[in-house]
């Protein structure tokens, strides 16, 4: 479950602190931020100006369902209580690539996506990626930048970390004016392929948890990928998920709703201790 709040202050850092306080979180918690408005200074210290506005997100555990005390109605042909239900098949929840992507030259004048593309071109030129084609798919209050070309693998990085950084910086460039405009970047359908991989992983681990009754821990992931796992696990009956750890070590644990009790050690048979034969010497044959 994701909880969010908006903080408003004179600077970005103060707005972040205000949003954290609204979430009743601490600086050590795994909080994500989206910058809605950049602060603007007053002209001559008197006219105009606007504060910074930041949206903060935090992942919290889902509240336990309330017990109503009512017994469930009997259903005909009801299965035994201890019979496990198979996990649901993965749903293709990944959105298809936008077909309305256009060239940057076709965007309306003053579109914030143009600033994001121009800023991104500067960074790619510095990385030696000069032969890159840009397509832009406009969304509600945002845009998706689709990049194609050679040598773009380095722009994705380990688990998309470099891609996330480029996306964040491009969003700052697009939001240099008033308002909030969300920029997303995709290279070679990486986002779609990564999401499908995570959904498949969630179903695979959930099946193991249902079969063994034991919890399983996944490798550390960023908040975006953890949300994909949590969403996929919610579709599977009999298992649940939660996050543990701090910072870069924060990871997801998938648990069974009905874990198996540990096996009890079987008592050993009451056997008499083995005795040496009376016909043999105490220390064996001595020459």
């Amino acid at each position: 479950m994701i909880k969010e709040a908006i903080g408003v202050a004179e600077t970005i850092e103060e707005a972040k602190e205000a949003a954290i306080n609204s979430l009743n979180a601490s600086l050590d918690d795994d909080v994500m931020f989206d910058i809605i408005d950049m602060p603007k200074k007053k002209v001559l210290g008197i006219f105009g100006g606007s504060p910074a506005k930041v949206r903060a997100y935090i992942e919290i555990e889902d509240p336990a369902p309330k017990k109503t005390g009512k017994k469930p109605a009997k259903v005909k042909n009801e299965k035994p209580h201890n019979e496990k239900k198979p996990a649901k098949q993965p749903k293709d929840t990944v959105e298809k690539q936008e077909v309305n992507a256009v060239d940057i030259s076709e965007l309306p004048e003053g579109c914030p996506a143009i600033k994001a593309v121009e800023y991104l071109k500067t960074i790619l030129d510095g990385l030696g990626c000069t032969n890159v084609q840009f397509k832009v798919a406009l969304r509600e209050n945002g845009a998706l930048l689709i990049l194609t070309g050679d040598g773009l693998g380095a722009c994705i990085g380990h688990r998309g970390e470099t891609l996330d950084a480029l996306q964040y910086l491009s969003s700052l460039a697009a939001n240099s004016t008033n308002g909030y405009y969300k920029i997303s970047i995709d290279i070679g359908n990486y986002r779609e392929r990564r999401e499908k991989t995570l959904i498949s992983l969630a179903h695979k681990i959930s099946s193991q948890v249902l079969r063994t009754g034991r919890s399983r821990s996944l490798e550390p992931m960023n908040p975006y990928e953890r949300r994909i796992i949590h969403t996929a696990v919610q579709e599977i009956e009999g298992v649940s998920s939660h996050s543990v750890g701090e910072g870069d070590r924060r990871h997801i644990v998938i648990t069974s709703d009905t874990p198996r009790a540990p096996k009890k050690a079987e008592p050993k048979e009451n056997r008499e201790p083995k005795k040496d034969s009376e016909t043999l010497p105490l220390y064996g044959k001595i020459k």
Side-chain angles (χ1 to χ4, degrees):
M1 178 179 178
I2 304 299
K3 183 180 179 182
E4 66 177 50
I6 295 178
V8 180
E10 294 184 359
T11 65
I12 294 294
E13 294 301 324
E14 291 177 352
K16 286 182 178 180
E17 292 181 4
I20 289 176
N21 292 334
S22 299
L23 290 173
N24 293 325
S26 64
L27 295 176
D28 296 331
D29 292 335
D30 190 8
V31 182
M32 291 184 62
F33 299 98
D34 281 339
I35 299 177
I36 300 177
D37 289 332
M38 297 291 291
K40 286 190 175 183
K41 295 182 179 180
K42 295 182 179 180
V43 180
L44 300 177
I46 302 175
F47 305 104
S50 61
K53 184 182 294 184
V54 174
R55 180 184 288 107
Y57 302 86
I58 188 171
E59 179 185 324
I60 60 176
E61 295 184 2
D62 293 333
K66 296 182 179 179
K67 296 182 179 180
T68 59
K70 297 182 179 179
K71 295 182 178 180
K74 291 184 178 181
V75 182
K76 293 183 179 180
N77 299 327
E78 187 176 0
K79 294 183 179 180
H81 179 69
N82 57 354
E83 182 177 350
K84 288 196 175 290
K85 298 181 179 180
K88 295 180 180 179
Q89 294 297 324
K91 293 183 178 180
D92 189 9
T93 58
V94 183
E95 295 181 0
K96 295 182 179 180
Q97 189 69 272
E98 281 79 355
V99 296
N100 60 340
V102 299
D103 188 79
I104 184 176
S105 59
E106 300 180 31
L107 295 177
E109 185 178 356
C111 179
I114 298 177
K115 292 185 178 182
V117 171
E118 292 175 348
Y119 176 81
L120 195 55
K121 281 184 177 180
T122 303
I123 297 180
L124 295 179
D125 289 342
L127 295 175
C129 302
T130 55
N131 188 22
V132 179
Q133 291 76 42
F134 290 83
K135 292 289 185 179
V136 181
L138 296 179
R139 294 173 167 177
E140 183 179 357
N141 201 24
L144 169 66
L145 310 184
I146 305 172
L147 281 60
T148 55
D150 299 329
L152 290 176
C155 298
I156 297 176
H158 180 60
R159 296 176 188 160
E161 292 177 352
T162 305
L163 184 61
D164 290 339
L166 292 175
Q167 183 172 283
Y168 174 73
L169 295 174
S170 300
S171 297
L172 292 180
N175 285 281
S176 58
T177 57
N178 289 333
Y180 173 67
Y181 198 83
K182 184 176 181 180
I183 295 294
S184 301
I185 302 177
D186 195 9
I187 298 176
N189 289 334
Y190 171 79
R191 300 289 188 190
E192 180 179 351
R193 290 185 286 108
R194 179 61 175 167
E195 185 170 349
K196 287 182 177 180
T197 299
L198 292 173
I199 293 175
S200 177
L201 175 65
H203 283 263
K204 177 182 177 181
I205 300 300
S206 297
S207 297
Q208 295 176 1
V209 171
L210 286 172
R211 185 174 65 253
T212 63
R214 298 178 180 177
S215 301
R216 288 290 305 273
S217 297
L218 279 64
E219 63 182 9
M221 300 178 184
N222 58 44
Y224 167 76
E225 294 185 342
R226 292 201 303 271
R227 284 198 296 272
I228 295 176
I229 295 291
H230 286 310
T231 302
V233 172
Q234 287 177 357
E235 298 293 329
I236 305 174
E237 188 175 355
V239 293
S240 56
S241 61
H242 63 278
S243 297
V244 297
E246 301 293 337
D248 296 337
R249 297 183 178 180
R250 192 163 179 81
H251 61 278
I252 289 177
V253 178
I254 299 178
T255 59
S256 173
D257 294 341
T258 55
R260 293 182 181 178
K263 293 183 178 180
K264 296 182 179 180
E266 297 180 359
K268 295 183 178 179
E269 297 179 3
N270 296 327
R271 297 179 180 177
E272 295 183 0
K274 191 174 181 180
K275 296 181 180 180
D276 295 331
S277 175
E278 296 178 356
T279 60
L280 295 176
L282 182 60
Y283 297 105
K285 187 177 180 180
I286 300 177
K287 293 183 180 179

